[in-house]
Amino acid sequence: MSAQKTSASRTKPVSAVGAFIGFAGFSVLAGLLVTIGVTPAIAVAGVTTTSTIGVFESLPEYIEIGELPQRNELYAYANGKPVHLASVYDQNREELKYDEISDQLKNAAIDGEDKRFYDHGGVDMTSLVRAGVGSVAGGLGESGGGSTLTMQLVRNIKMQQALELPTKEEREKAYNAAVEQSISRKLEEMKLAIGLSKKYSHNQILTAYLNIAYFGDQTYGVQAAAQHYFNKNATDLTPQEAASILAIVQSPNTRNLSSPKNYEANVARRNVILKSMLAQKHLTQEQFDAAIASKPADYVHLTEPTQGCQAAAGNGAQFFCDYAVKVVKEMSQLGGSEKDRATAWRNGGYTIQTTLDINLNGQQKDLLNTYDPNTESRFALGSTMNSIEASSGRILTMAQNKDYDQSIQSPPTATSLNYSVDKKYGESSGFQTGSTYKVFTLLDWLKNGHGLNETVSGTPRLMSSGWTECGAPYYAGGYTPKNDSPGENGNFTVARATALSVNVAFLNMAQKLDLCDIRDTAKSLGVHRADGGELKSNPTSVLGINEIAPMTMASAYATIANGGTYCAPIAIDNITNAEGKSLGGQPKDCKQVLDPGVAATAAYAMQGTIKYGTAVGAQTADGTPLFAKTGTTDEADQIWLVGGSTSVTTAYWQGNTDGGKTNLRHYYSGAGGSYASSRANVWRQAMTPINQLHPGGAFPTPSQTAIRGNSIALPNLAGKTAEEARSLVASSGFSYVDGGVQAGGGTAGTVSSTSPTAGALLSRGSSVTVYTTDGSQATVPNVGNRPVNEAQATLNSAGFGSVAVSDQFEKGNSKQQCRVAAVDPGVGTNVAKTTPITLKLFGDKDGKPGKNCK
C-alpha cells in the first residue's frame, strides 16, 4: 500500500485525543495513569480504574525505534563501464543525526506539538487533562491535543511496520490498527511511549520522530521534505520553513506544499506553531513578524525526487530500474523468505550492478520518441524496445515511449505500467503477438522432420476440421481464415510462406502437427502469457492471439540466435552488501531446448523476411546477418518486429494500450510513413549501434536434408489416366483430390495438370488436386518457315479443321517465299479445336505475294 493510498488516514490530528475519545474515555486514561503512578497524582472526579489496569498491564511494554530505510545504489553500464543509475530507498527518506537537524525544526516540533517534551516520560498528563476538558467543551482542536511527540513516534513506528508487511491485505489491516480511534489503541500507544522513554533519550526520540514522520507527496522525514519543498537541507531552514514543514504532519494530504491549493491550510497551522515558538522565546519578535508576514509562494521551491527510479539517470531508464528493483527483492541473496528479503532491502546498503546498457537504452528511447511519440492524442499509443544478449539472457535495453510516472493519475504522456514485462512486474497484461508467434509452428514443423522447401497451400478455405489438439481431434466450426494481403493464394514453399507471413500456409502446416506440441515448443523457449494464464492452443493461436510481454518474445527469439539454447532473462549482474561483500547476481540459467540444426534452419528461413519478405528495409548497412519475423494482428492494432543477430535480439512492439482497435496502418506520426510501415526502418536504426557493440557473425548453414526435410517429390502425372494418376498419388503417400474436368488438349479423360505442380516437395498425407482434360482443346503446333501446304496438314493433324491463309504478306527473300511467317493464335497456345487458324506467309522483298504463292 503506497503512502499515497494511506496518507488519507493521517489527516486526523495525531495528538487530538479529546476529539475522538471523549471525556469518559479521557477519565479512564487519566485515572489509570494516576493509579499506576506513571505521572504525579492528579485528582480526577469519577474515575474507575480497576477493570482497565489489567488491560494496560497486558499490553507490550517496548517498541524499537529501529533502523530506518537506507539507500540502495543501482548501477548500469556505459561504454562497458559501470555508471550510477539510481539511489533507491524503501521510501523517499534520508535519515539525519540529531546535530544535522536545524534548531528551528527541533523547536517547531516541540513548541508546536509537545511543549513539555523534556519534562515528561512519554505521556503528558497536563495535556491529557486539557484534551479531556476540551472534549467536554467542544474540543480544543490541535493546540490542545494530548498525544506527545513520543506517542506520535509510537504511532509512526507502527504505521511504518505496517507498510513493510508483504501483502496489501496485511498492510491495510495493520495500518488501520495503528491509526484506529479507540481507547485500546490509545492505551497501547501510551504504554509503548513510556517504554520508549525508558529506553531512549529525549534527543533520540526527537530525532527518530523527525526522521520517520510523513510529510505528504511521497516524502518521509524532514530532510527529504526540506529538499522536496524548499530545495535545501534540513540544516538550513528558516523559521517559516521549519514551521511549514511541521504544519504538514497532522494532515499530510491537505497541508503539504506540493500544490498552492494547500497553502492556506498550511499557513493557518504554521502560524499557530510560530506563535508557540515566540511564546517559548525560540523566536525574537522581529523573526516572528517576518515569518508571519511571509507567503509560501516566496519560499516554496518544489524539486523532483533525487532518489528512486523516478530520478534514475539516463534517457528512459526508469522502467528498467523499476523492474530491476522488483527482481532484486526476489533474489535469495537478500534472504530465504519474502519477509526477510523485504526487511533486508528496507535496511538497505546494497550496491546493485544491473545489466542495462544506459546508452543503447537512451538511443532506443529517442527512436520511440520520434516514431511513436507519447504525445499522440488520437488513440492510446504505446511502444517498447527490448534487446537481449542471446548467449546469456542479459537484458541490455528496456525502452518505452511513455514516460515513467507512479502517481495515481498519470498525464497522457506517462504511465506507471511497464509494457515490456509481465503483469507481475509491470502491471501490464501483454499484447497479442500476431505473426511473430508463427515461429513456434515453424520450429515444431522442423522438429517433426519437415523441410523449408515443402509446398503448402496458402489459398483461403473453410478449416473447421483437420486439427489435432493434445492427440485428439479438434473441431473449429466455421473457421475461415484469411491472409493479410488481399488476393494472396496459391502454393508456397514453407520458406517463402515464412518470409511473406502467409496465414493460411501456416495453418495448413499446423494441421499436420499437434496444436499442443506447438504450444509446448513455445513454452520451451520461455514463452508464457503476461497475465500468468495458460497459453491457448486452439487453431487461432497459431496466428498469435496470446497476450505476451515484448521482453518474453525477445528472449524466445534469442534462443534461435543462440543455436537452440534458451537463457532466461537476467537483469542483475551482481549484488554487494553494506559490508562490501559480493553476493553474486542472477545465475545464468541456460538450457538446450532445440536441436542446433532446427534453430539454424529457422534462422535461415527468417533471413528471407528481411531479404525479400515483410521486413524489407530492416537490414543494417554494416551487412551483419540478421533474421526477423513481423507480426500484425487482424485489426492492425498491434504491430511487431522481432529478430536480431547471432549476438543480440530486439523486440519492437507498437500498439493500442487501452484495448482499442485503432489501425496503426492508417495513422502517421509525422516522422514519415504510418506507424506500421515504419517498423523495419525503426528496428534497423535500433540494431545499428547494437551491432557495433555486440558484433554478430554468420548463422550456421542448414543442411540440405534439413531444408528438404522428409518431403516427397510429386511425380509428373500429365497424360496419365485418372485411375493411373490416383494409383501413383496413393503410392507416393499423398491424398488424391479430384479437381474435375477442364477444357484442355490431349486425350479426353487424361491428366492435364495438378496442384501442386509436378516436382513439388510435399509431406506425406498432403493433398494433390488432379485435373483431367475434356480433349476439347489443342495446342497450336510450331509450323513456322514451313511450306503452306505442309503447315496446313500439320494443323489439321493437331485437330484444327479451319485453317486459312491471310492476304497480307511479310517481307522475305526468295527462299522464304510461300513459307509460314506467323500463326494466329500463336504457337503453343491452347485453344478450342474449332478455333479458326490464320497463317501469314512470306512474300518477296517488298512484301508482295510471291509468284507461286496464292
Side-chain angles (χ1 to χ4, degrees), residues 211-521:
N211 278 322
I212 199 173
Y214 177 61
F215 292 96
D217 204 27
Q218 297 295 291
T219 305
Y220 295 80
V222 291
Q223 174 68 354
Q227 291 176 336
H228 179 47
Y229 295 125
F230 309 131
N231 195 25
K232 59 169 63 175
N233 293 322
T235 310
D236 307 319
L237 299 185
T238 64
Q240 56 265 38
E241 291 168 343
S244 274
I245 282 185
L246 265 298
I248 297 172
V249 293
Q250 293 178 352
S251 186
N253 273 357
T254 61
R255 293 187 191 148
N256 76 70
L257 297 168
S258 66
S259 171
K261 70 180 182 182
N262 297 336
Y263 286 177
E264 183 178 354
N266 182 278
V267 167
R269 178 60 184 162
R270 179 202 72 175
N271 290 349
V272 171
I273 296 172
L274 288 171
K275 290 175 184 177
S276 295
M277 294 174 72
L278 176 65
Q280 298 299 316
K281 301 186 185 308
H282 289 134
L283 290 180
T284 66
Q285 187 65 47
E286 183 180 1
Q287 288 175 313
F288 172 78
D289 291 342
I292 286 289
S294 66
K295 298 178 180 179
D298 298 330
Y299 56 82
V300 172
H301 303 286
L302 281 175
T303 61
E304 291 298 321
T306 57
Q307 74 87 31
C309 289
Q310 183 78 44
N315 182 15
Q318 292 83 2
F319 287 103
F320 175 85
C321 173
D322 184 86
Y323 172 75
V325 168
K326 290 172 181 173
V327 169
V328 169
K329 290 181 179 180
E330 295 180 335
M331 294 175 64
S332 61
Q333 288 92 327
L334 271 65
S337 68
E338 183 178 0
K339 182 178 180 181
D340 290 343
R341 293 190 292 272
T343 300
W345 180 256
R346 170 185 172 273
N347 290 338
Y350 292 101
T351 299
I352 314 295
Q353 179 61 61
T354 72
T355 60
L356 183 73
D357 187 312
I358 203 166
N359 291 338
L360 287 177
N361 196 81
Q363 290 165 351
Q364 291 185 2
K365 171 64 172 170
D366 286 340
L367 281 172
L368 299 181
N369 287 346
T370 300
Y371 290 93
D372 304 305
N374 57 31
T375 54
E376 170 60 72
S377 59
R378 294 167 294 181
F379 65 101
L381 173 66
S383 68
T384 61
M385 276 193 172
N386 294 267
S387 296
I388 299 279
E389 187 177 64
S391 62
S392 65
R394 295 174 70 252
I395 303 168
L396 301 179
T397 69
M398 189 180 288
Q400 184 163 309
N401 74 325
K402 296 287 189 180
D403 295 328
Y404 178 85
D405 189 321
Q406 291 296 308
S407 60
I408 294 176
Q409 290 187 336
S410 301
T413 57
T415 183
S416 63
L417 304 181
N418 186 342
Y419 300 137
S420 294
V421 296
D422 294 337
K423 187 173 184 179
K424 174 182 178 182
Y425 296 104
E427 293 300 322
S428 172
S429 298
F431 307 96
Q432 288 192 352
T433 59
S435 294
T436 57
Y437 199 86
K438 289 175 182 172
V439 67
F440 308 116
T441 297
L442 175 64
L443 291 171
D444 195 49
W445 174 267
L446 297 171
K447 284 166 60 178
N448 279 274
H450 296 287
L452 296 183
N453 284 348
E454 286 190 36
T455 299
V456 289
S457 174
T459 301
R461 62 183 176 87
L462 178 65
M463 302 186 77
S464 298
S465 59
W467 304 99
T468 303
E469 185 182 38
C470 299
Y474 181 96
Y475 182 72
Y479 184 42
T480 309
K482 61 181 181 179
N483 293 318
D484 188 51
S485 299
E488 194 171 50
N489 53 48
N491 294 310
F492 298 82
T493 65
V494 170
R496 186 167 179 80
T498 300
L500 300 179
S501 197
V502 182
N503 291 343
V504 177
F506 269 84
L507 291 169
N508 277 312
M509 291 163 62
Q511 285 197 328
K512 300 178 186 300
L513 307 169
D514 190 309
L515 293 169
C516 289
D517 289 344
I518 296 172
R519 176 202 63 197
D520 293 344
T521 295

Side-chain angles (χ1 to χ4, degrees), residues 76-83 353 357-359 693:
Y77 291 101
N79 302 317
K81 297 179 180 179
V83 293
Q353 179 61 61
D357 187 312
I358 203 166
N359 291 338
L693 295 173

